[in-house]
């Protein structure tokens, strides 16, 4: 009886404007935000990972309710945010009818399809090439879902990332700059290619100034306990900034887990080790933050942590994501 008197934490879904449909995906594939721009046409923000492009295309088609998809906008060009660009564009009339819009800092690298300029080589991740029609940048205003959205720089997770803020609805589309619990790995900090910690601090401050009432993140459900999420993000950033190796090792575990998710099947341990030690961002991270530990040792430590936490499963000489293990054991 006493249990009934205790307050129960209620998870209430955030109500989004009817012109916005959030397609919430799993962690391999970032969310897609379908924006019904007018009665005839629509845009989508981010398209998930290439191995899940069928799922994204089907979800977008259902959300369009007969509208034409005229535009694909990417918050940033990581493999889990732009992997469905090519398939989705093909399905909606190709480049002549469906334009891809990317952050200004990535336009050249996309249109040259420079895979090392675009992070796919460094992270050892999969992607499918596409070309962008145009770009957008901090200070721009984009019309989406029948509303005007401010574009803001969102450095930290990615040097070129952008976020979108709608001032009347006080709605923020944050990409990987803010999740309900945390934010994406601060990649520029790993290889020294930019200001990870300082960039993230600026981005969080910008969000505080904007005072969003609700956030549509790149991963997970929309949320409206924004002050609490920002406080958690600041605390996490403080922790990482005080101990960059801690952030670096977190990043290595994330990269390893992401690779296992990408494989979708159990992989030989030797192959996984080879992928890890030959991936250039892993090598740079270990070199810059390993304090004498080499990539082989880092691999052993990271795999052990994933196995101990249940984020990976080992069967003899094979390792995989628990879902791959379950599928193969079924
Ligand atoms: Zn990302």
């Amino acid at each position: 009886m006493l249990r009934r008197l205790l307050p129960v934490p209620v998870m209430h879904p955030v109500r989004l404007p009817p012109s916005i449909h959030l397609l919430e995906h799993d962690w391999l594939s970032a969310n897609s935000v379908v924006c019904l721009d007018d009665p005839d046409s629509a845009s989508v923000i981010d398209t998930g990972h290439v191995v899940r492009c069928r799922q994204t295309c089907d979800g977008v088609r259902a959300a369009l309710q007969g509208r034409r998809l005229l535009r694909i906008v990417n918050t940033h060009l990581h493999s889990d945010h732009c992997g469905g660009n090519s398939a989705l564009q093909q399905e909606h009339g190709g480049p002549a009818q469906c334009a891809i819009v990317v952050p200004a800092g990535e336009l050249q690298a996309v249109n040259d399809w420079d895979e090392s300029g675009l992070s796919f080589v460094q992270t050892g991740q999969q992607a499918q090439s596409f070309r962008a029609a145009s770009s957008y940048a901090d200070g721009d205003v984009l019309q989406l879902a029948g509303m005007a959205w401010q574009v803001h720089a969102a450095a930290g997770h990615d040097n070129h990332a952008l976020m979108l803020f709608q001032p009347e609805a006080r709605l923020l589309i944050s990409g990987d700059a803010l999740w309900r619990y945390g934010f994406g790995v601060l990649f520029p900090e790993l290889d020294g290619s930019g200001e990870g910690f300082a960039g993230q601090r600026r981005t969080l401050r910008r969000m505080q100034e904007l005072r969003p009432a609700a956030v549509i993140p790149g991963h997970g459900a929309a949320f409206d306990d924004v002050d609490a999420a920002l406080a958690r993000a600041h605390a996490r950033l403080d922790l990482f900034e005080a101990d960059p190796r801690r952030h670096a090792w977190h990043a290595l575990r994330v990269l390893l887990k992401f690779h296992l998710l990408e494989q979708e099947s159990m992989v030989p341990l030797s192959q996984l080790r080879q992928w890890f030690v030959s991936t250039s961002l892993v090598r740079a991270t270990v070199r810059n933050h390993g304090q004498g530990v080499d990539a082989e040792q880092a691999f052993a430590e990271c795999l052990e942590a994933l196995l101990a936490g249940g984020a990976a499963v080992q069967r003899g000489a094979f390792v995989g994501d628990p879902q791959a293990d379950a599928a193969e054991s079924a």
Side-chain angles (χ1 to χ4, degrees), residues 76 78 80-81 157 176 187:
H76 62 296
H78 286 165
D80 55 330
H81 290 255
H157 171 66
D176 290 344
F187 284 103

Side-chain angles (χ1 to χ4, degrees), residues 22 48 63 197 267 283:
L22 172 60
F197 299 139
V267 290
R283 297 174 71 87

Side-chain angles (χ1 to χ4, degrees), residues 123-124 126 252-280 282-283 295-307 311-322 324:
T123 56
Q126 305 169 34
L252 293 177
R253 290 191 299 271
V254 168
L255 285 166
L256 185 58
K257 168 72 178 175
F258 193 87
H259 182 71
L260 289 177
L261 284 169
E262 263 189 333
Q263 302 314 300
E264 297 187 300
S265 62
M266 300 292 279
V267 290
L269 183 59
S270 57
Q271 186 185 315
L272 186 63
R273 184 189 296 110
Q274 187 53 35
W275 169 83
F276 189 88
V277 301
S278 61
T279 293
S280 70
V282 168
R283 297 174 71 87
E296 293 271 353
Q297 286 169 274
F299 173 74
E301 283 180 30
C302 290
L303 181 60
E304 194 183 305
L306 293 189
L307 292 170
V313 175
Q314 182 163 4
R315 300 272 172 227
F318 288 79
V319 180
D321 181 73

